[in-house]
């Protein structure tokens, strides 16, 4: 049985809240209930360094070798505790006592794990052994930079069979914004190609974090470029479920933290309305 995580809240997304290596619970404001997180980057390594990242001691790198046996044992034990133990009663507020998804996220880019395809298979067979909600989602939260890998694409195909969806990070569609916000020199063309590939394999949402830098919202050139990018994707026939538009929830743990602040709710809604005008669903979290 996993150790108690203490009382959960939307403000506590600690990856070690349950005392496990790979599995952790959070109350997800976007999912609207309990999200069972799977952290494939316990070494706090990511191939990007987003300036709003909340991972402590973040470093450049990739996921370590994954102990697949341990991951499956942790997932099974934690699901058992959620469904048949006292975890919900002791650690989760009444209004959030519903399992909404299993999410591959954690402290770095999950698709950097070489075992990604095998991990999806583990989740699939584990899900089949428990009386989970029929509409339980399997979510991959990704920066999309490694979608070109064959093993990742095989994993996405399997995810689609497991009621899966991809949350594809798209914070900026300009080269300057991409470099400044995500600290990556990856080309915009590669990002576009990977996004199209992901959308062809599994349902996909664009996940966009908006915030103020030195007290200023993203400028008109940035937001116009974003609208144009999404419009072009849709005109090309790329199947996108919608956009998840959100702002900062917890303090960043990067050097730029002092110059970041939440976007204003009215500004977020105004941008959301422009995106909705393209004929696409937008979910906002202020």
């Amino acid at each position: 049985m996993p150790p108690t995580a203490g009382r959960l809240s939307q403000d506590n997304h600690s990856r070690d809240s349950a005392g496990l290596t790979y599995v952790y619970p959070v109350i997800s404001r976007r999912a609207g209930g309990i999200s069972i997180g799977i952290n494939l980057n316990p070494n706090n390594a990511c191939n990007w360094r987003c300036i709003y990242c909340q991972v402590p001691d973040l470093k450049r790198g990739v996921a370590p070798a994954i102990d697949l046996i341990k991951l499956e044992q942790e997932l099974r034990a934690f699901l058992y505790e959620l469904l048949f133990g006292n975890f919900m009663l002791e650690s989760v507020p009444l209004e959030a006592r519903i399992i909404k998804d299993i999410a591959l996220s954690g402290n770095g880019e999950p698709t950097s794990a070489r075992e990604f395809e095998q991990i999806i298979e583990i989740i699939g067979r584990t899900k089949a052994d428990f009386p989970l909600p029929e509409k339980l989602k399997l979510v991959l939260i990704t920066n999309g930079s490694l979608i070109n890998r064959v093993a990742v694409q095989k994993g996405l195909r399997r995810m689609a069979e497991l009621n899966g969806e991809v949350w594809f990070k798209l914070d900026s569609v300009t080269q300057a914004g991409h470099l400044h916000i995500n600290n990556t020199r990856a080309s915009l063309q590669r990002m576009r190609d990977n996004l199209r590939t992901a959308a062809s394999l599994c349902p996909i949402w664009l996940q966009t974090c908006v915030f103020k830098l030195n007290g200023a919202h993203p400028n008109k050139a940035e937001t116009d470029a974003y609208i144009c990018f999404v419009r072009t994707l849709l005109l090309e026939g790329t199947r996108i479920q919608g956009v998840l538009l959100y702002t900062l929830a917890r303090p960043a743990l990067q050097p730029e933290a002092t110059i970041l602040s939440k976007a204003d709710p009215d500004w977020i809604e105004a941008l959301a309305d422009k995106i909705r005008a393209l004929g696409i669903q937008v979910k906002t979290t202020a």
Side-chain angles (χ1 to χ4, degrees):
M1 178 184 300
T4 179
R7 197 70 172 175
L8 295 181
S9 72
Q10 290 186 357
D11 297 324
N12 176 19
H13 280 206
S14 173
R15 311 302 198 227
D16 59 2
S17 60
L20 303 173
T21 299
Y22 300 113
V23 177
Y24 64 98
V26 296
I27 297 177
S28 171
R29 59 191 180 132
R30 278 173 281 174
I34 285 288
S35 177
I36 302 167
I38 296 181
N39 179 18
L40 301 181
N41 303 78
N43 59 348
N44 294 356
C46 188
N47 61 340
W48 287 13
R49 189 191 69 79
C50 300
I51 61 176
Y52 56 80
C53 184
Q54 297 142 8
V55 173
D57 302 317
L58 182 71
K59 60 185 178 183
R60 291 279 190 170
V62 299
I66 303 300
D67 185 336
L68 297 174
I69 294 174
K70 185 175 185 179
L71 187 153
E72 183 166 357
Q73 289 173 340
E74 287 190 359
L75 181 57
R76 287 181 180 275
F78 196 75
L79 282 172
Y80 187 90
E81 177 65 18
L82 277 181
L83 293 167
F84 307 117
N86 295 323
F87 184 87
M88 286 288 198
L89 181 63
E90 295 176 353
S91 301
V92 182
L94 180 62
E95 67 276 9
R97 290 176 189 168
I98 180 172
I99 304 172
K100 298 295 289 189
D101 63 41
I102 297 174
L104 290 151
S105 177
N107 289 4
E109 174 50 43
T111 61
S112 70
R114 292 290 178 180
E115 305 85 352
F116 183 77
E117 182 185 1
Q118 297 160 274
I119 290 162
I120 302 302
E121 289 297 340
I122 286 171
I123 295 170
R125 66 171 175 259
T126 301
K127 279 183 62 179
D129 288 342
F130 285 87
L132 293 166
E134 183 180 351
K135 295 183 179 180
L136 184 75
K137 288 283 186 183
L138 173 56
V139 178
L140 169 65
I141 301 174
T142 178
N143 61 33
S145 61
L146 303 174
I147 298 296
N148 54 304
R149 289 184 174 178
V150 173
V152 174
Q153 293 177 19
K154 289 180 178 178
L156 294 187
R157 288 190 185 93
R158 180 66 177 127
M159 278 187 62
E161 299 169 355
L162 296 170
N163 198 32
E165 61 187 31
V166 175
W167 293 5
F168 193 109
K169 183 187 295 291
L170 189 71
D171 295 328
S172 174
V173 299
T174 69
Q175 200 67 56
H178 204 37
L179 178 60
H180 190 195
I181 295 171
N182 306 123
N183 276 276
T184 176
R185 296 185 182 277
S187 74
L188 297 179
Q189 186 60 52
R190 169 60 66 86
M191 177 178 69
R192 188 190 301 269
D193 291 344
N194 283 357
L195 197 158
R196 289 174 179 144
T197 297
S200 72
L201 299 171
C202 187
I204 187 172
W205 288 77
L206 305 181
Q207 180 187 225
T208 301
C209 184
V210 290
F211 47 87
K212 294 180 184 176
L213 270 172
N214 290 312
H217 289 108
N219 61 35
K220 186 174 184 297
E222 275 286 332
T223 56
D224 284 353
Y226 184 95
I227 295 296
C228 181
F229 184 90
V230 176
R231 179 188 295 115
T232 300
L233 286 175
L234 296 174
L235 289 174
E236 291 172 344
T238 305
R239 292 176 295 176
I240 300 170
Q241 305 301 304
V243 176
L244 304 172
L245 193 62
Y246 67 106
T247 190
L248 308 177
R250 296 168 300 282
L253 295 178
Q254 304 307 308
E256 298 87 350
T258 58
I259 65 172
L260 306 180
S261 56
K262 290 185 175 184
D264 296 337
D266 289 348
W267 187 93
I268 295 173
E269 285 303 322
L271 177 58
D273 285 343
K274 291 179 181 178
I275 301 170
R276 291 185 184 109
L278 302 176
I280 188 172
Q281 182 181 181
V282 181
K283 297 180 181 179
T284 60
T285 309

